Amino acid sequence: EPEVTQTPSHQVTQMGQEVILRCVPISNHLYFYWYRQILGQKVEFLVSFYNNEISEKSEIFDDQFSVERPDGSNFTLKIRSTKLEDSAMYFCASSEANIQYFGAGTRLSVL
Amino acid sequence: ILNVEQSPQSLHVQEGDSTNFTCSFPSSNFYALHWYRWETAKSPEALFVMTLNGDEKKKGRISATLNTKEGYSYLYIKGSQPEDSATYLCASSTSWGKLQFGAGTQVVVTP
């Protein structure tokens, strides 16, 4: 069964460093998303992406964040200069219609 | 209601018993209600997407109902089994795209 895959499963970085979280969405999907869950909090929406551009973003998604679909298969989230409060589980999702299919997440730990 | 709220936060169920729990969501600008089943270290698994008032969906022993006028959905598990142990997340959307999640109901089924 097709699935969304995310790499790495755990990323440790120093504050101020750039990180890139990678996702391979389901191949025929056209809509892509990033969410995150800070420990003990709800899963929260970051950004949606369609037709090679951002379709919606939350107030969390500031200038430190960017998304890219560099080729036909990958979808990446870049955090330019990580802060301690960026530590969270980051989920990628893709959809072709109403149902969003999620990856297993990347745990980002900022030290 | 401005946020998606789920109750209870957790529940323990004896194997074979049936159980249910609630998701409350903003009824204004409602588009769809999503239920996910999430086991630790795995991808959240889509269970149902419901859009119409009075909708009922069923998947095996799990079913869900939707009341869009009052802004709530119930998820039912009939004859709980240990493999039903997971966190059940609901999320509402006002259009295709951005999901607003509740905090989840953690279900533990004991043999």
Side-chain angles (χ1 to χ4, degrees):
Chain A
E1 186 174 318
E3 60 181 19
V4 176
T5 55
Q6 291 186 243
T7 55
S9 56
H10 189 192
Q11 172 95 45
V12 182
T13 190
Q14 294 291 324
M15 192 169 58
Q17 295 295 305
E18 174 184 285
V19 292
I20 297 176
L21 308 183
R22 301 181 192 281
C23 170
V24 179
I26 294 172
S27 62
N28 61 331
H29 287 185
L30 300 176
Y31 302 87
F32 313 110
Y33 312 87
W34 284 100
Y35 294 83
R36 77 174 186 189
Q37 185 185 37
I38 294 171
L39 190 64
Q41 297 184 22
K42 296 177 180 179
V43 175
E44 51 189 354
F45 169 80
L46 292 177
V47 66
S48 57
F49 191 86
Y50 169 71
N51 202 25
N52 281 322
E53 59 183 30
I54 291 173
S55 45
E56 188 175 1
K57 61 182 181 179
S58 70
E59 56 262 24
I60 303 165
F61 194 89
D62 61 21
D63 292 344
Q64 291 300 312
F65 291 88
S66 62
V67 289
E68 198 177 34
R69 190 153 159 80
D71 53 43
S73 59
N74 290 287
F75 180 51
T76 62
L77 174 70
K78 182 194 290 186
I79 308 175
R80 201 157 295 125
S81 176
T82 50
K83 307 183 184 92
L84 295 176
E85 54 266 35
D86 293 328
S87 295
M89 181 75 92
Y90 287 80
F91 292 98
C92 171
S94 70
S95 71
E96 58 176 343
N98 259 342
I99 300 175
Q100 293 185 26
Y101 295 87
F102 282 77
T106 292
R107 179 166 299 284
L108 177 64
S109 300
V110 183
L111 306 178
Chain B
I1 295 177
L2 296 178
N3 298 317
V4 178
E5 304 292 346
Q6 291 186 247
S7 65
Q9 188 176 0
S10 66
L11 58 91
H12 286 72
V13 188
Q14 206 64 29
E15 182 177 356
D17 287 351
S18 296
T19 189
N20 65 84
F21 37 93
T22 313
C23 172
S24 302
F25 55 88
S27 52
S28 60
N29 298 319
F30 171 82
Y31 179 75
L33 193 283
H34 306 244
W35 279 103
Y36 286 86
R37 180 178 177 280
W38 187 18
E39 289 182 72
T40 306
K42 294 187 179 179
S43 308
E45 173 197 354
L47 290 174
F48 308 114
V49 179
M50 296 183 289
T51 56
L52 299 176
N53 186 45
D55 240 354
E56 288 188 33
K57 298 258 176 148
K58 189 174 178 184
K59 186 175 183 177
R61 292 177 293 96
I62 302 177
S63 60
T65 60
L66 180 67
N67 182 321
T68 60
K69 294 183 178 175
E70 295 180 41
Y72 65 84
S73 174
Y74 288 115
L75 192 111
Y76 300 88
I77 305 176
K78 186 177 175 183
S80 304
Q81 299 296 309
E83 58 264 31
D84 295 327
S85 297
T87 296
Y88 292 82
L89 294 171
C90 77
S92 74
S93 58
T94 55
S95 64
W96 278 30
K98 171 184 171 182
L99 298 182
Q100 183 183 4
F101 281 88
T105 293
Q106 185 182 25
V107 175
V108 177
V109 182
T110 49

